[in-house]
Amino acid sequence: MSAQTLLNALFRYKASIDGELLDALSALGEGARGNAFSSALRVLNHAHLVDRIFAANLQREVHDFTASWSSEAPPLAQLASSIRETDRWYIDYTSRIKPEEMEEVIAFTFTDGGRGRMSREEMLAHVATHAGYHRGEVGRLLPEIESTAMRDVFTGYLHRTDPARRQ
């Protein structure tokens, strides 16, 4: 399996589990939407901002983000829409990137003004792993969605999307 194939699978997995998590959050009644829910949205918003920052870096575009964190998150519906759109972008990007582009090192500026250099492959790996960490954090903040958060494993995704792997 090539790095491109693996990264595309990881981003398809990310989009799938992000969708499940967002659906679970949407299904929570208003009574469950207290401080922990607000904290969960801020965590998801942070992960999403990082996704968008690195999407800009991958395209060598200057972004206007001055932080990767915000004290207030957008409403769930708006955040969910933006997350799903960004997830689709990463799936498309990883499906069409050429192997020689994966190793290309790109210089960029972090939101704190510090300089950085990473290969496209490293950036993509960072986005995929960073998102998983924060989905787990949301699962700990909101035990009501634990059944969704506990399904957040790559092996489960692979076997759900390709049942022949169980043979």
Side-chain angles (χ1 to χ4, degrees), residues 11-85:
F11 279 99
R12 286 186 285 116
Y13 153 69
K14 178 184 177 307
S16 175
I17 202 70
D18 280 352
E20 288 182 26
L21 179 59
L22 293 166
D23 290 346
L25 290 171
S26 294
L28 288 176
E30 290 299 319
R33 295 186 178 194
N35 289 339
F37 184 84
S38 296
S39 293
L41 287 186
R42 283 192 304 277
V43 167
L44 285 178
N45 189 52
H46 160 70
H48 177 58
L49 291 174
V50 169
D51 289 357
R52 292 185 58 203
I53 289 166
F54 276 92
N57 291 343
L58 286 162
Q59 298 172 84
R60 295 181 182 269
E61 292 179 354
V62 176
H63 59 75
D64 56 358
F65 295 102
T66 57
S68 64
W69 187 262
S70 173
S71 61
E72 293 297 320
L76 176 58
Q78 180 183 342
L79 180 59
S81 176
S82 191
I83 288 172
R84 292 176 202 272
E85 178 183 332

Side-chain angles (χ1 to χ4, degrees), residues 5-157:
T5 301
L6 176 59
L7 286 165
N8 184 255
L10 286 169
F11 279 99
R12 286 186 285 116
Y13 153 69
K14 178 184 177 307
S16 175
I17 202 70
D18 280 352
E20 288 182 26
L21 179 59
L22 293 166
D23 290 346
L25 290 171
S26 294
L28 288 176
E30 290 299 319
R33 295 186 178 194
N35 289 339
F37 184 84
S38 296
S39 293
L41 287 186
R42 283 192 304 277
V43 167
L44 285 178
N45 189 52
H46 160 70
H48 177 58
L49 291 174
V50 169
D51 289 357
R52 292 185 58 203
I53 289 166
F54 276 92
N57 291 343
L58 286 162
Q59 298 172 84
R60 295 181 182 269
E61 292 179 354
V62 176
H63 59 75
D64 56 358
F65 295 102
T66 57
S68 64
W69 187 262
S70 173
S71 61
E72 293 297 320
L76 176 58
Q78 180 183 342
L79 180 59
S81 176
S82 191
I83 288 172
R84 292 176 202 272
E85 178 183 332
T86 302
D87 282 346
R88 284 189 300 272
W89 183 88
Y90 274 102
I91 291 169
D92 179 61
Y93 182 82
T94 56
S95 72
R96 61 182 167 74
I97 190 170
K98 294 176 178 58
E100 60 272 13
E101 292 174 311
M102 296 287 278
E103 295 179 15
E104 181 182 6
V105 174
I106 297 174
F108 60 90
T109 303
F110 286 102
T111 57
D112 67 0
R115 294 176 186 228
R117 289 173 36 97
M118 294 172 74
S119 70
R120 290 177 195 272
E121 191 172 51
E122 289 169 330
M123 286 187 215
L124 291 165
H126 170 69
V127 170
T129 58
H130 179 259
Y133 172 83
H134 287 301
R135 282 191 308 271
E137 188 178 3
V138 170
R140 296 283 295 152
L141 284 167
L142 297 170
E144 301 88 354
I145 62 166
E146 185 174 337
S147 63
T148 297
M150 296 309 292
R151 290 173 37 103
D152 189 356
V153 292
F154 188 50
T155 56
Y157 166 79

